Amino acid sequence: MIDGDVSADSVRELLAEAHGGVVPIVAAGHPVLRARAAPYAGQLDSETFAELIEVMRATMHDAPGVGLAAPQIGIPLQIAVIEDCHDVGADVARARERTPLPFRVLVNPRYTPVGPRTAGFYEGCLSVPGYQAVVTRAAQVRLECTDETGREIDEVVRGWPARIVAHETDHLHGTLYIDSAHMRSLTTSEMYGELWSDPTPERAAQALGFATDDRR
């Protein structure tokens, strides 16, 4: 775990502890998840930066998850990786606007809602294992960042990929999904799989007494 200033040496020390290219994921309760990460401004040499990206990707896959922010492995830098190529049923894909999301690196990302449409769905987090809750988010967001090569990115992201972008970017500002979740929707992952894994959370909302505040 890295505290305070981030140096290439401190990051290399953490990466050296990887087993099979994977490092532990920090759980909720650690301060690194509640602090604003430092903007990435070349603090790492190119070799260490590339290794960090590969370790983050391997750790995300191993979890498994669809995104991972650097603070989730104890590195307070504004870097995240995202990827969603999981197979889902046609009804789930349609309801959640879940489309394939190739592997991407987001450096110093920020997002802003595009239009008034929102959608509420169950989310989980690798740093809050064992639970899920409904979060209402913008259905479209404008993503601004750079990629791992320094190329500027400015684009509109829609549906489930927009949710992933928002979730991971929030991590870089010390925010967890539970901060904006409908807490009456909170469920263990086991209970979610048993009762509430419908394409939408409408049935759960009726049974548990919460509103998703969707605007479609």
Side-chain angles (χ1 to χ4, degrees):
M1 202 68 57
I2 298 172
D3 296 310
D5 294 335
V6 181
S7 68
D9 286 343
S10 62
V11 173
R12 279 194 292 267
E13 288 177 9
L14 186 146
L15 298 179
E17 299 173 3
H19 297 282
V22 173
V23 294
I25 293 175
V26 177
H30 195 286
V32 72
L33 295 175
R34 289 310 198 174
R36 183 182 179 88
Y40 182 70
Q43 292 93 327
L44 309 178
D45 59 80
S46 58
E47 182 178 344
T48 302
F49 179 77
E51 184 179 356
L52 171 61
I53 297 304
E54 287 307 309
V55 166
M56 289 178 64
R57 185 177 192 177
T59 301
M60 173 180 66
H61 288 167
D62 181 71
V66 296
L68 187 73
Q72 290 183 274
I73 59 169
I75 298 175
L77 288 173
Q78 290 188 23
I79 301 169
V81 297
I82 58 176
E83 182 177 15
D84 184 13
C85 296
H86 296 282
D87 289 330
V88 297
D91 53 345
V92 171
R94 181 170 53 254
R96 301 180 187 177
E97 298 180 84
R98 188 165 179 175
T99 55
L101 177 62
F103 178 76
R104 301 184 67 174
V105 178
L106 311 181
V107 178
N108 300 328
R110 58 188 183 275
Y111 70 91
T112 51
V114 175
R117 191 164 69 93
T118 63
F121 291 105
Y122 271 100
E123 286 185 28
C125 179
L126 299 179
S127 291
V128 189
Y131 291 90
Q132 298 192 39
V134 173
V135 181
T136 297
R137 295 190 185 271
Q140 297 185 103
V141 300
R142 179 185 179 187
L143 168 65
E144 298 174 85
C145 63
T146 59
D147 66 12
E148 67 275 28
T149 70
R151 181 176 65 91
E152 295 284 343
I153 294 171
D154 185 345
E155 64 184 65
V156 173
V157 187
R158 301 172 174 81
W160 204 258
R163 181 170 297 269
I164 295 171
V165 164
H167 181 117
E168 298 308 326
T169 301
D170 285 352
H171 269 301
L172 304 177
H173 299 276
T175 299
L176 298 176
Y177 85 97
I178 53 176
D179 297 333
S180 53
H182 301 277
M183 292 308 293
R184 289 186 67 93
S185 71
L186 185 68
T187 176
T188 64
S189 295
E190 181 180 7
M191 191 62 66
Y192 171 80
E194 183 177 332
L195 294 179
W196 308 125
S197 58
D198 300 346
T200 73
E202 293 177 5
R203 193 167 56 85
Q206 293 175 0
L208 301 179
F210 66 92
T212 62
D213 300 323
D214 284 13
R215 296 197 300 275
R216 293 180 177 277

